[in-house]
Amino acid sequence: MPPNQTVYNRIALISGIFLGLFLLGRLALWFVYQPVFTELGFIETLMAFMHGIRFDAAITITFLGIPFLFMMLPHKWFSSRIWQGLIHWYAYIVLIGFIFLTIGDLIYFGFVQRHAGPEVTLMTGDMELMLDMLLNEHRLPLIIFSVSAIIGAILWSKLFTSTITIPHRKLPRYGMIVVMFLAVIIVGRGGLQYKPARISDAFLSGSTASGYLTLNGPFAIFHSARGTRPVVKTFM
């Protein structure tokens, strides 16, 4: 990596890492549960992978869009190593969370042949039970994941040790911020359609297998949790 890196290259690098994660997750889903996707031909499988980028980018920008905008502000403090470091480590925490959800969703898919959804909200209602399961029944995978996260943090810190070069002229920079702001809205919504992308949009082709391959775990879990409302119970 060069000693200096523009803020645009830095945003592209972080985005590429997240999209790479989702690509690996989709490949693992397709490979591990091959019988579920045998009905899909080569073209249908390729289209599912291509269409999935829309949902991958949407969930990524949902969590990183605003930090990306702050990275571009043409003021000295926002280009400081401290501020940029905060954004980089926030992105890493989100990345680890996405990896955790992707792995969990991949395992869950083997039980019910679909992505995790509203049941995640129900499970998190009993955090004591969930923690007990993690610490006892899945202790070894949790240790491996934790050690991997620590190693990943070391690699992440080395990846972003270079300084960011900031354009001196503010007018072009503000123009790029406006462009980035519009891109965050469009990508975060999943396109230019009237309503933001939803889970059901992955199944517009009419194929259930194609829809499952198109979706990623974090997108399905996040939007299922958002759409789940607690039932108001009136007891007699």
Side-chain angles (χ1 to χ4, degrees):
M1 181 178 293
N4 293 307
Q5 194 177 42
T6 67
V7 66
Y8 312 118
N9 291 339
R10 185 65 57 88
I11 291 174
L13 176 59
I14 295 175
S15 300
I17 292 173
F18 274 78
L19 293 179
L21 159 67
F22 291 123
L23 175 61
L24 291 176
R26 190 168 287 110
L27 283 170
L29 181 70
W30 175 80
F31 180 78
V32 174
Y33 303 109
Q34 185 59 224
V36 179
F37 305 109
T38 51
E39 66 180 70
L40 301 177
F42 174 77
I43 298 299
E44 291 175 306
T45 302
L46 182 61
M47 291 303 296
F49 272 80
M50 295 297 293
H51 190 201
I53 297 176
R54 172 191 179 193
F55 297 90
D56 301 343
I59 191 64
T60 299
I61 291 300
T62 297
F63 283 86
L64 297 182
I66 293 179
F68 283 166
L69 288 172
F70 277 118
M71 288 179 67
M72 298 177 63
L73 290 177
H75 299 283
K76 186 176 181 179
W77 194 85
F78 289 108
S79 61
S80 66
R81 185 177 294 273
I82 295 177
W83 177 254
Q84 297 292 335
L86 288 174
I87 295 178
H88 295 154
W89 285 113
Y90 164 76
Y92 183 71
I93 292 173
V94 174
L95 179 66
I96 291 299
F98 280 3
I99 294 175
F100 185 84
L101 292 178
T102 299
I103 295 174
D105 178 71
L106 188 65
I107 297 173
Y108 185 81
F109 195 94
F111 292 101
V112 297
Q113 304 299 298
R114 62 178 175 82
H115 291 285
E119 53 275 298
V120 174
T121 306
L122 299 176
M123 288 189 294
T124 53
D126 195 346
M127 289 302 299
E128 185 177 350
L129 176 61
M130 293 299 103
L131 289 175
D132 182 69
M133 291 177 61
L134 279 174
L135 296 176
N136 293 289
E137 297 182 22
H138 305 283
R139 181 180 301 173
L140 181 59
L142 183 61
I143 292 175
I144 295 174
F145 179 83
S146 300
V147 172
S148 300
I150 294 173
I151 296 174
I154 297 174
L155 297 175
W156 188 266
S157 64
K158 294 182 179 300
L159 188 63
F160 297 109
T161 53
S162 61
T163 57
I164 296 179
T165 57
I166 306 296
H168 295 290
R169 290 180 292 180
K170 292 185 178 181
L171 186 58
R173 188 76 175 279
Y174 278 120
M176 288 302 299
I177 290 175
V178 173
V179 173
M180 184 66 181
F181 178 75
L182 294 175
V184 165
I185 294 177
I186 295 172
V187 175
R189 288 173 53 85
L192 293 171
Q193 69 281 346
Y194 177 69
K195 292 183 178 181
R198 298 170 293 181
I199 295 175
S200 58
D201 293 330
F203 299 89
L204 294 179
S205 64
S207 171
T208 302
S210 177
Y212 289 148
L213 191 58
T214 297
L215 285 173
N216 63 69
F219 184 94
I221 293 171
F222 176 74
H223 284 274
S224 294
R226 282 188 60 189
T228 303
R229 296 290 184 269
V231 178
V232 178
K233 300 178 181 179
T234 303
F235 297 99
M236 295 181 63

